[in-house]
Amino acid sequence: MSYSIAKCDSGITLLGLTNFDAAQIFDCGQCFRFNAVSDGTSDIAGIARGRYLRVHTDGQSVSLVGACEDDFHSLWETFLSLDTDYAAVDDEITSAFDTILGREDEVIRRAIKRGSGIRILRQQPWEALISFIISQNNNIPRIKKIISALCEAYGEPIDTPDGVMHTFPTPDAIAGAGVDGIFALKTGFRAKYIIDAANRVLCGECDLDALAKPSVSAEDSAAQLMKINGVGPKVAACVNLFGLSKISAFPVDVWIKRVLARHYPEGLDYTRIGRYAGIAQQYLFYNERWE
DNA sequence: CGCCAGGCGGGGG
DNA sequence: CCCCCGCCTGGC
């Protein structure tokens, strides 16, 4: 999985990086704030961790446009999960499925092959929490629209090469908006959930930094998150997986239910997949969603 | 018009 | 404990 970092005219280039496909990573539904840059390139750009990131892909190499090495080590290496050996992860997932089913599983092999460029982004816990509360009973275009409106209304503006963009609003900013302010952004019945989340985070009742500690299990973390009104098992699992680095979390949504019914009619005990279950979930999801 | 979209809370059986 | 309904909104 070794790759090298080089400076280039536009930023930094990552050479020899495998298991990395920007289109898959930013289009597999884990993240709602990145989009194709509309300038003829197939670059993908957005705001993460309060900073602008633009990913350019050119054949074998991936470059982070406008980034310097310090940015890479302090932000993007972690955000993009480049410290994880996905080839090793894939092997472990494959053998876990074989063990659970007691046979060679072609379904997970195909899903891994198709989604081989996916990496789980390490998003900020607070952003993941609000994003997946908004995602419930909703579709991706509208989720993106609502989150964008939320950032424009209550985030901080930052200048980028693509114009003014906005950071994700703080719990304080969202709580200050009140239910009416959040409802005005077309969040519908989720407005009161979003405010409840902000209030619980602000008063310390929900301590996201504490939940992010590796010593806190995914189960304990989910139990804490589900005290928030509007957070059930699915949203909690997504926050664990995408915001709290708890990669064993396995969100079960309608697409995964479809996968289980169609491809594992004899049943699949996904609680036995193990420490990389969340990555397996992404492969299965991606394979089903964009079949 | 009705139905659905990456769920969840609340009520009734 | 499980099942089922309603829910904001936009797109079809």
Side-chain angles (χ1 to χ4, degrees), chain A residues 28-32 49 79 118-125 127-129 132 234-247 249 251 278 281-282 285:
Chain A
C28 69
Q30 61 174 315
C31 157
F32 305 103
R49 297 170 178 247
F79 177 64
I118 296 174
R119 281 171 186 261
I120 305 286
L121 297 170
R122 293 199 186 89
Q123 303 179 66
Q124 293 182 131
E127 178 173 340
L129 173 60
F132 286 95
K234 195 282 183 174
V235 171
C238 285
V239 176
N240 269 337
L241 179 56
F242 303 121
L244 296 171
S245 298
K246 301 197 191 298
I247 307 302
Q281 190 270 7
Q282 285 294 283
F285 175 83

Side-chain angles (χ1 to χ4, degrees), chain A residues 223-254:
Chain A
Q224 291 301 311
L225 291 167
M226 285 191 289
K227 290 180 181 173
I228 299 168
N229 200 12
V231 176
K234 195 282 183 174
V235 171
C238 285
V239 176
N240 269 337
L241 179 56
F242 303 121
L244 296 171
S245 298
K246 301 197 191 298
I247 307 302
S248 65
F250 189 91
V252 178
D253 54 39
V254 293

Side-chain angles (χ1 to χ4, degrees), chain A residues 43 80 127 205 218:
Chain A
D43 293 7
L80 299 168
E127 178 173 340
E205 193 183 321

Side-chain angles (χ1 to χ4, degrees), chain A residues 40-55:
Chain A
T41 66
S42 55
D43 293 7
I44 295 173
I47 303 292
R49 297 170 178 247
R51 292 280 307 277
Y52 173 79
L53 172 66
R54 174 167 174 160
V55 181

